[in-house]
Amino acid sequence: MASEETRAVDTRTAMSPTERDMSAPMGASETTLEKGPAHTWATRLVVAGIVLSAVNLRPAITSLGALLEEVRDGLGMSGSVAGLLTSVPPLCFAVFGVMAPRLARRFGPAAVVCAGMAAIFAGLLIRPYAGGTAGFLAASALALMGIAVSNVLMPVIVKRWFPDRVGSMTGLYSMVLALGTSLPAAVTVPLTHAMGGNWKPGLAVWAVLAAAAVLPWIPLVRQGRKESAAAARSASAPASAAAGEQPPLRITRSRTAWALAVFFGLQATAAYITMGWMPQIFRDAGVSAGTAGLLLAVTMVMGVPLAFVIPRIATRLPHQGPIVLVLGVCGLAGYAGLYLAPAAGAWAWALLLGIANCAFPLALTMVGMRARSGPGVAQLSAFAQSTGYLISIPGPLLVGVLYQHSGGWGLPIALMAGLMVPQMVVGVLAGRDRTVEEEAAAR
């Protein structure tokens, strides 16, 4: 594989006029890309936008998990409705994520992410005070819709603005996302107690982060609109006609796209099972509730440093399969430990499963590497994430069914370990040095 910088230059040269325009950052012109002060200012805004957006992609979920019992009591939710609420995130990610590429083509990625952050802000602010279960679910869906489109477009923005630093920027984004996952789980309950013990402000306070994430995107959206208008006035009619002839990428023809989608789905399945059931596995083995929570926190926190390191390593390798295999072996070892000695080696199993869960930043990195152009990354990201989240929905529910009917954790742990094997296989296939554009054109 050529270096990222060389590939970025070659890619821009080989693109059609439409692809070059789509791959420019937020509609910026070639002049903006090359000139110093304006580009430096815009780049800093993009970095701030990526960081603030990433930290907002999970608090809507993990803050609710910390106060789910209080929410159920306050709204009079039945157990089945509460169970549905925990299954809504992957469903929303799958359904709304499909819309992201089309919205990005029409309005630009910056505008869509900006709107996504605004939707997260509105949903988080409204849902505690919506007045009932239906309103709470609707406001949660609004926030999750904003998360879904932003999930898909983050790799697109990284690819467009930092084509020669996909690994390091994906690592930064993934590291901050991991922080945004673990922080609300750890501090929502103490914050709620500090604000008088009422769960409503304890949930609503996370809207402040989302409001802050809107701000960096606003000047980028305005700048993009000005430059797009100027480019449209200066563009010739023949060039516009040629751009209009660019055919869409038939992403479903790519074996790599399917492999990446299944890999994304299986790693998401493992992550949701871990977050939902690992504390209970430890508690049933005799570990205290407080220690079980700390063990889950250790598993989640492992993603902070490794999410920065793994993408940087991945972009330097011609094939990402070896990383997939290392993560998979760690997962298998962790599951074996949970089965054989869940309490005796609890901290070791938590660490191993935390390493295995870093398949998520690796999947995001491969999305940026397996497509040449901005439109290709957008389509691949939407396809892999939407299909993957659909695949992940049954996993946590099936673990609960097996646990209930078997009366123990042997069968559920066997299922978790069994799913790790196909995850490793499809991950190796997705890690091959090829692009979805090449495969879609060849078939």
Side-chain angles (χ1 to χ4, degrees), residues 54-106:
V55 82
N56 278 282
L57 295 181
R58 294 298 180 268
I61 303 168
T62 53
S63 64
L64 175 60
L67 294 174
L68 185 57
E69 184 176 347
E70 289 80 0
V71 173
R72 283 184 59 185
D73 293 341
L75 297 178
M77 277 187 190
S78 66
S80 59
V81 173
L84 173 65
L85 189 60
T86 60
S87 300
V88 164
L91 180 61
C92 286
F93 293 166
V95 172
F96 295 124
V98 177
M99 303 162 48
R102 181 175 298 180
L103 292 171
R105 285 194 297 270
R106 181 174 178 82

Side-chain angles (χ1 to χ4, degrees), residues 180-356:
T181 302
S182 56
L183 185 65
V187 306
T188 295
V189 172
L191 274 176
T192 301
H193 291 326
M195 291 184 289
N198 190 332
W199 63 268
K200 292 183 178 181
L203 285 184
V205 70
W206 295 103
V208 175
L209 267 181
V214 174
L215 301 178
W217 298 108
I218 294 174
L220 290 167
V221 172
R222 290 176 177 173
Q223 182 68 16
R225 286 175 178 171
K226 290 178 182 178
E227 291 174 352
S228 295
R233 286 193 298 268
S234 62
S236 63
S240 299
E245 294 171 2
Q246 181 67 23
L249 177 65
R250 296 184 179 181
I251 197 75
T252 55
R253 291 187 174 185
S254 168
R255 290 189 180 96
T256 296
W258 280 106
L260 191 51
V262 177
F263 178 69
F264 195 97
L266 291 175
Q267 66 80 27
T269 300
Y272 280 112
I273 290 174
T274 298
M275 287 187 288
W277 291 108
M278 196 177 80
Q280 192 63 49
I281 294 174
F282 285 127
R283 292 184 67 177
D284 287 352
V287 176
S288 69
T291 302
L294 286 175
L295 288 165
L296 178 59
V298 167
T299 299
M300 296 168 68
V301 168
M302 285 297 296
V304 176
L306 291 180
F308 187 72
V309 173
I310 288 175
R312 294 172 66 89
I313 297 174
T315 54
R316 287 168 168 79
L317 295 178
H319 193 308
Q320 288 73 50
I323 303 178
V324 172
L325 295 177
V326 170
L327 297 180
V329 168
C330 288
L332 290 174
Y335 292 136
L338 284 181
Y339 181 81
L340 296 172
W347 295 101
W349 317 143
L351 287 171
L352 286 169
L353 291 174
I355 295 171

Side-chain angles (χ1 to χ4, degrees), residues 403-429:
Y403 173 62
Q404 181 177 352
H405 287 279
S406 68
W409 287 106
L411 283 178
I413 292 173
L415 172 66
M416 299 176 208
L419 290 176
M420 187 60 68
V421 176
Q423 177 180 320
M424 294 163 71
V425 173
V426 294
V428 169
L429 294 175

